Amino acid sequence: MTKTKTDYEQIAQQLKPRFQAFIDGKYCDTISGETFSCHNPATEEFIGDIAHCDAADVDKAVAVARKRFEQGVWSQRPPEERKEVLLKLADLVRKHTDELAVLESLDTGKTITDCLHEIGTEAPAFFQWYAELADKAFGKIAPTGPDALGLIVKEPVGIAGAIVPWNFPFLMAVWKIAPSLAVGCSVIVKPAEQSPLTALRLAELAQQAGVPDGVLNILPGMGETAGQAIGRHNDIDVVSFTGSTEVGRMFMRYSGDSNLKGIGLELGGKSPFLVLEDATINDDLIEHAAMSAFWNGGQNCSANMRQIIAAPLVEEYTARICERVQKFTLGDPLDPNTEIGSMITPEHKQNVMNYIHKGNQEGAKMLMGGDLERTGSYIKPTVFTDVTNNMTIAQEEIFGPVLGIMPVQSTAEALQVARDTDYGLHATLFTQDINRAIKTARALPCGTVSINGFSEGDIKTPFGGYKLSGSLSRDNGTEAIEQYLQTKTIWINVQ
Ligand code: NAP
Ligand code: MG
């Protein structure tokens, strides 16, 4: 039966969130005894004091993670057994969806509808997909002559650090935990300081599913403390990071200054949504345009905020997108009718508001949106038109609900504007001409191009960025497991 806001409020009242770190299969205080406070951004209510891990806690977690890796309790376990454990974890996440989704919504101000989908549908599917891959990944044999046998073998890299952001806290953690556990790594996760609660709860579900103690550790803390300690640790073999480009650069430095650990980077974006002149403006296109910008309140790395529209279509497009955006329901994240919840923090809201002021100052025309005065950190979905590519709101990642319409005179100009950015995560392209679609997709320097619909692809397709949107690593697909593997050659002389 479909649940109501009252049902979710009741679930919220019964929650008993975990606030301590999870190390070696136990919830524990930090060595320093330090904590930091966690709030619900939609109500501004205090939720709890969270363990503030620092370098000493990271050392403790790494020591046990290494010990378990060397013991082989997970790393040497037959892949079909790892598969069984991860399939069980997928089921446990499904079973606890309501509880986890409410927890995520309280922690972040995300809508309950989005949380239910990400946690109840997407996350278990990830565990399942990588579980199924665990016993189907074969090595290679080199083409040698009869005197040798050359085996090319993939081995788990050892200890993987996962540093995740606050916009999809549970899902981003799962994107990294599922493939790294599937190949046999020990894992240390640092959730974002704004959103630690669901990752902490996941830890005990993983234990219940059969992940051995010390193999999955969750260390909440600040970037400068726990995050930096993970980045600089000499016994962590790889870090998979999702977050801003600025912090991504730091992880490259941490690696260079320490043990040259592998660094996988999934970073920011400023992605275009191109509507070429042969496209038909219909409900479907407008729905994709609106969702590409305002899904998760625009707090989405692949948000398509630069909407580059062929001049003859701009008037109709603008009228229809404004009409659609007007209909978004903002409000209580626990209400299933809410489509846009709170921004993550008052500080983040202020940053986004500053961009809106800047858009106005630099001469873009604001058609709708701006501040929504109510408890919590709300911003109305905001639409600017007459945005040109030299404006700050066309170049910098805002990470909030601010869409810019950019009229262009030709496909060549559309492409030139789309390419003119430091980022390269995603692009959407609407056209009816298949040749134009393929040529334009090839010419766009970004990790995902979605044609005639906004999509990030699915579990099976790799996700990551060109240019300042990432490193060569990819999350999702079979590509994701490459982040957590190293390659060994075993050369056998045959006599
Ligand atoms: P962020 O500030 O870069 O934080 C990401 C993670 O890094 C957090 O866990 C953070 O800890 C940690 N961190 C911060 N400073 C650090 C430091 N000096 N050393 C080590 N770790 C540090 O990003 P965010 O604001 O959470 O997330 C928004 C950004 O993520 C946007 O730029 C967005 O585009 C990007 N993003 C990218 C993808 C993708 O797949 N490409 C997906 C989602 C988000 P604290 O929480 O303590 O700051
Ligand atoms: Mg919070």
Side-chain angles (χ1 to χ4, degrees):
M1 210 175 64
T2 323
K3 290 195 173 64
T4 63
K5 180 177 160 212
T6 317
D7 296 327
Y8 292 119
E9 284 167 349
Q10 273 168 8
I11 294 171
Q13 274 160 17
Q14 284 155 15
L15 289 176
K16 292 197 179 61
R18 297 292 194 164
F19 299 140
Q20 292 171 297
F22 189 84
I23 300 174
D24 199 12
K26 290 176 278 298
Y27 287 100
C28 54
D29 289 332
T30 55
I31 292 167
S32 68
E34 292 291 316
T35 58
F36 64 96
S37 56
C38 172
H39 290 87
N40 176 339
T43 61
E44 299 173 11
E45 280 164 7
F46 172 74
I47 299 179
D49 288 313
I50 310 285
H52 182 172
C53 295
D54 63 17
D57 305 290
V58 172
D59 283 345
K60 180 178 152 187
V62 171
V64 65
R66 176 61 63 192
K67 193 165 146 196
R68 297 294 179 258
F69 188 79
E70 297 299 333
Q71 287 169 337
V73 291
W74 184 250
S75 55
Q76 301 291 325
R77 197 117 162 237
E80 44 277 72
E81 289 181 24
R82 288 201 301 268
K83 173 173 85 173
E84 284 309 313
V85 170
L86 294 177
L87 288 175
K88 208 160 156 196
L89 180 52
D91 278 346
L92 282 170
V93 172
R94 275 192 200 100
K95 210 166 126 205
H96 290 86
T97 294
D98 284 351
E99 171 209 333
L100 285 162
V102 170
L103 194 59
E104 182 106 308
S105 179
L106 296 179
D107 203 9
T108 59
K110 282 168 70 82
T111 68
I112 188 69
T113 308
D114 283 352
C115 294
L116 287 167
H117 179 71
E118 287 154 26
I119 294 174
T121 305
E122 293 193 46
F126 271 86
F127 279 122
Q128 196 164 325
W129 202 76
Y130 287 103
E132 293 290 358
L133 207 59
D135 62 354
K136 295 170 194 71
F138 294 85
K140 290 200 280 192
I141 297 177
T144 56
D147 298 342
L149 178 62
L151 304 181
I152 301 165
V153 176
K154 295 282 182 182
E155 297 182 336
V157 70
I159 302 181
I163 310 282
V164 289
W166 46 259
N167 56 343
F168 297 89
F170 193 80
L171 195 61
M172 289 302 107
V174 170
W175 276 21
K176 300 186 190 299
I177 293 170
S180 55
L181 281 184
V183 301
C185 286
S186 294
V187 186
I188 295 177
V189 181
K190 191 203 89 64
E193 66 188 79
Q194 300 87 347
S195 57
L197 297 179
T198 49
L200 286 171
R201 176 74 177 108
L202 175 66
E204 57 188 331
L205 296 181
Q207 186 178 44
Q208 213 178 315
V211 175
D213 294 352
V215 169
L216 175 64
N217 305 280
I218 313 288
L219 276 69
M222 304 290 147
E224 297 72 26
T225 52
Q228 178 161 194
I230 290 170
R232 291 188 181 280
H233 206 288
N234 279 312
D235 202 25
I236 291 180
D237 302 286
V238 70
V239 168
S240 182
F241 170 83
T242 295
S244 60
T245 297
E246 186 192 352
V247 178
R249 287 181 196 278
M250 291 184 194
F251 274 90
M252 290 294 202
R253 293 194 193 105
Y254 297 156
S255 170
D257 291 344
S258 59
N259 62 341
L260 300 178
K261 59 178 68 60
I263 301 288
L265 299 177
E266 306 290 347
L267 307 175
K270 190 72 189 177
S271 299
F273 185 98
L274 297 104
V275 179
L276 304 186
E277 71 236 21
D278 63 47
T280 308
I281 309 285
N282 55 25
D283 289 350
D284 182 60
L285 183 149
I286 293 297
E287 193 60 26
H288 279 280
M291 294 315 293
S292 77
F294 298 119
W295 164 41
N296 209 37
Q299 301 174 122
N300 177 16
C301 54
S302 66
N304 286 182
M305 292 308 191
R306 302 191 310 135
Q307 304 212 337
I308 300 168
I309 315 296
L313 304 176
V314 165
E315 201 180 319
E316 186 189 0
Y317 181 83
T318 305
R320 293 202 47 189
I321 190 91
C322 287
E323 189 191 347
R324 169 63 186 90
V325 172
Q326 210 61 265
K327 292 188 185 142
F328 274 119
T329 318
L330 276 73
D332 182 348
L334 286 186
D335 184 338
N337 296 317
T338 297
E339 291 167 289
I340 298 181
S342 170
M343 300 275 100
I344 186 74
T345 56
E347 297 76 37
H348 186 57
K349 172 178 172 173
Q350 193 50 55
N351 288 341
V352 176
M353 287 306 302
N354 292 345
Y355 277 111
I356 292 176
H357 296 317
K358 202 144 209 175
N360 282 311
Q361 275 166 9
E362 291 184 356
K365 192 165 148 209
M366 185 166 141
L367 300 174
M368 58 189 297
D371 194 4
L372 176 66
E373 288 180 25
R374 58 170 277 166
T375 303
S377 299
Y378 285 84
I379 298 182
K380 291 184 232 164
T382 300
V383 178
F384 279 97
T385 190
D386 296 341
V387 174
T388 53
N389 219 26
N390 56 349
M391 292 179 185
T392 310
I393 60 165
Q395 287 295 333
E396 294 185 16
E397 182 179 45
I398 301 176
F399 224 59
V402 185
L403 180 165
I405 298 173
M406 310 172 78
V408 288
Q409 301 302 328
S410 63
T411 299
E413 190 189 348
L415 190 56
Q416 183 250 320
V417 172
R419 290 173 58 98
D420 183 14
T421 159
D422 292 336
Y423 292 110
L425 190 58
H426 187 277
T428 304
L429 170 66
F430 272 81
T431 173
Q432 296 189 49
D433 180 338
I434 183 69
N435 294 310
R436 231 183 211 182
I438 292 168
K439 278 188 190 158
T440 312
R442 285 182 172 154
L444 285 164
C446 59
T448 299
V449 180
S450 176
I451 293 171
N452 291 337
F454 168 75
S455 170
E456 290 183 351
D458 68 12
I459 306 170
K460 303 180 286 296
T461 55
F463 184 76
Y466 284 29
K467 296 160 80 176
L468 295 190
S469 291
S471 57
L472 291 179
S473 69
R474 292 292 181 264
D475 281 334
N476 307 348
T478 50
E479 281 77 1
I481 64 172
E482 298 297 330
Q483 285 189 63
Y484 309 105
L485 291 169
Q486 53 195 343
T487 307
K488 178 179 280 176
T489 295
I490 300 177
W491 188 269
I492 304 161
N493 278 321
V494 178
Q495 286 164 359

